[in-house]
């Protein structure tokens, strides 16, 4: 009988696991993502091709376990029941805070308009959304910005307002007291949207590609902002330059000496995919050089637009966006193993290395002690309650047994 009880307990736990990860996001593009404490968060985005419907969905993938990229196997958890989730499209995001545990959203459009609220934040420790009040020279709200957080400061460059047709080429900086300052230098790059940015180990912020005056700009010039000396400079790249593009993604490799770009469009609209789909810029050489990267694997994604890309442990995870192969929005994710720079590989399985720290994020983060203790207590109480319930049922069953008696009801006699 003990064996039967163990089987029942195991079955209940399996059913609980299935129920806990039964959430499946609907297809979307123009959403945001952020990786903190082994959770890959996704925020909002448009769920229609005409961008008329902007969601306020909020959910994450649990990256503390191995999983398959099959839509039914991804360990999703929905947080859409929380209050204050913004509905924003083609916004920017950054991980900020002294412990890198706060998600910040910047700008974006709100389904046919631009809201008056520039910044929202989500505190992962207490699971609360807030609209952030800032001071100083308030930046205009726009879309297509890729903000960067470095040493307590948020850098937000350029962007575009498609309702008044305005590009902005200023660099707006938010300090730790939530005061904005505005920097416009004579050698700053032209205003743009849909570009990519990356914080390099030497403190420079790299800017590449995007739209300028409704035309995609070439990837043969990289713009660098020196955060230490407040200087702009540009660099012509070497190698075979990929096609110009906007609204693509980029990540740094694990050694942070290569920039991996993916997807994007060569002209506005859903009919002009930029090629090659994946390209790699070597940042260890001077000048930076576009290199031929060996990429293998059988789980190659379609060309994507308005998707997201994040480095999670040994993988670049691509998520959602417009799929050029189906001409529809997607809710798929794709995994590129970038652990070996000599060969990247598209894979189906997200696997944790036994030697990897499960607390590793793109920037070091911590778990709140209260949350950890609360989770442990909740798990112990739930398990104890479950065992008590099964034990009580077993005792009742042992006393009463199975009865063949029936209660007469109209029509049975």
């Amino acid at each position: 009988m003990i064996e039967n009880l163990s089987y029942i307990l195991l079955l209940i736990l399996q059913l609980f696991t299935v129920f806990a990860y039964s959430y499946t996001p609907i297809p979307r593009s123009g959403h945001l993502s952020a990786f903190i404490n082994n959770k890959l968060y996704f925020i909002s985005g448009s769920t229609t091709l005409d961008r008329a419907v902007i969601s306020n969905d909020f959910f994450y993938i649990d990256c503390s376990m191995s999983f398959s990229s099959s839509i039914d196997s991804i360990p999703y958890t929905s947080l859409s029941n929380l209050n204050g989730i913004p509905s924003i499209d083609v916004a920017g995001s950054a991980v900020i805070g002294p412990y890198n545990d706060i998600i910040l959203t910047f700008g974006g459009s709100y389904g046919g308009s631009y809201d008056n609220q520039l910044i929202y934040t989500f505190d992962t420790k207490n699971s609360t959304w807030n609209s952030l009040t800032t001071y100083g020279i308030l930046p205009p709200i726009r879309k297509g910005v890729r903000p960067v957080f470095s040493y307590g400061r948020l850098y937000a460059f350029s962007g575009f307002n498609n309702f008044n047709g305005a590009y902005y080429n200023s660099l707006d900086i938010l300090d730790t007291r939530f005061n904005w300052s505005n920097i416009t230098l004579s050698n700053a790059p032209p205003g743009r949207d849909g570009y990519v940015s990356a914080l390099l180990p030497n403190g420079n912020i790299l800017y590449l590609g995007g739209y300028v005056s409704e035309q995609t700009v070439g990837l043969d010039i990289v713009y660098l902002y020196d955060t230490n000396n407040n200087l702009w400079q540009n660099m012509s790249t070497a190698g075979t330059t990929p096609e110009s593009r906007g609204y693509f993604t980029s990540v740094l490799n694990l050694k942070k000496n290569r920039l991996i770009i993916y997807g994007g469009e060569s002209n506005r609209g859903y009919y002009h995919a930029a090629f090659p789909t994946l390209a790699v810029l070597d940042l260890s050489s001077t000048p930076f050089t576009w290199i031929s990267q060996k990429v293998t694997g059988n789980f190659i994604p379609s060309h994507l637009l308005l998707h997201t890309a994040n480095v999670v442990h040994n993988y670049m995870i691509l998520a959602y966006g417009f799929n050029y192969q189906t001409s529809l929005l997607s809710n798929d994710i794709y995994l590129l193993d970038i652990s070996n720079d000599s060969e990247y590989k598209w894979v189906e399985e997200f696997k944790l290395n036994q030697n990897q720290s499960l607390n590793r994020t793109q920037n070091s983060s911590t778990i709140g002690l209260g949350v950890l203790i609360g989770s442990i207590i909740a798990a112990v109480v739930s398990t104890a309650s479950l065992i008590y319930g099964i034990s009580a049922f077993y005792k009742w069953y042992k006393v009463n047994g199975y009865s063949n008696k029936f209660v007469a009801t109209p029509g049975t006699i």
Side-chain angles (χ1 to χ4, degrees), residues 27-32 43-55 87-91 108-114 143-144 162-163 193 247 265 268-270 305-308 320-324 328-330:
R28 70 194 60 237
S29 67
H31 53 285
L32 299 173
I43 308 162
S44 201
S46 176
T47 55
T48 58
L49 287 175
D50 62 4
R51 322 212 69 76
V53 179
I54 311 300
S55 81
S87 295
I88 47 180
D89 184 33
V90 197
S109 60
Y110 298 77
S113 65
Y114 286 82
K143 70 174 187 177
N162 57 303
F163 292 103
D193 69 313
Y247 289 102
E265 60 185 359
R268 289 201 192 274
Y270 294 117
L305 170 69
L306 289 166
H307 55 289
T308 54
Y320 324 135
F322 176 76
N323 184 316
Y324 276 92
L328 298 171
L329 300 183
S330 170

Side-chain angles (χ1 to χ4, degrees), residues 118-329:
L118 179 65
I119 290 179
Y120 293 91
T121 60
F122 177 72
D123 190 330
T124 60
K125 295 193 305 298
N126 53 33
S127 296
T128 55
W129 278 99
N130 293 286
S131 55
L132 184 65
T133 300
T134 57
Y135 310 93
I137 306 173
L138 298 181
I141 297 177
R142 65 268 199 186
K143 70 174 187 177
V145 177
R146 296 292 176 87
V148 172
F149 181 74
S150 175
Y151 291 100
R153 291 187 172 187
L154 182 78
Y155 298 84
F157 171 67
S158 198
F160 176 66
N161 186 313
N162 57 303
F163 292 103
N164 62 18
Y167 281 94
Y168 305 94
N169 76 325
S170 62
L171 179 64
D172 298 296
I173 302 176
L174 183 67
D175 64 23
T176 55
R177 296 183 178 182
F178 306 129
N179 286 310
W180 286 104
S181 59
N182 179 280
I183 296 177
T184 303
L185 301 175
S186 58
N187 57 341
R192 63 191 61 207
D193 69 313
Y195 59 86
V196 296
S197 63
L199 178 65
L200 305 183
N202 61 3
N204 288 345
I205 302 176
L206 177 152
Y207 296 94
L208 178 69
Y211 277 96
V212 175
S213 300
E214 293 298 296
Q215 298 294 322
T216 54
V217 295
L219 305 186
D220 56 336
I221 297 180
V222 170
Y223 292 93
L224 299 168
Y225 177 73
D226 185 341
T227 60
N228 298 313
N229 299 300
N230 187 29
L231 295 173
W232 279 105
Q233 58 179 318
N234 60 67
M235 177 190 297
S236 295
T237 61
T240 302
T241 305
E243 188 176 10
S244 63
R245 64 193 68 196
Y247 289 102
F248 57 116
T249 56
S250 72
V251 299
L252 293 174
N253 67 335
L254 302 184
K255 296 179 181 178
K256 298 188 183 302
N257 60 3
R258 291 184 178 186
L259 186 77
I260 306 169
I261 69 169
Y262 192 88
E265 60 185 359
S266 59
N267 285 292
R268 289 201 192 274
Y270 294 117
Y271 307 105
H272 307 283
F275 291 95
T277 307
L278 185 148
V280 176
L281 184 65
D282 183 0
L283 307 177
S284 64
S285 62
T286 303
F288 298 163
T289 302
W290 292 104
I291 61 174
S292 177
Q293 174 65 47
K294 183 178 181 181
V295 181
T296 61
N298 298 321
F299 300 93
I300 303 172
S302 167
H303 194 100
L304 299 174
L305 170 69
L306 289 166
H307 55 289
T308 54
N310 297 83
V311 172
V312 179
H313 301 303
N314 289 334
Y315 302 89
M316 177 180 76
I317 300 182
L318 302 178
Y320 324 135
F322 176 76
N323 184 316
Y324 276 92
Q325 183 175 348
T326 64
S327 296
L328 298 171
L329 300 183

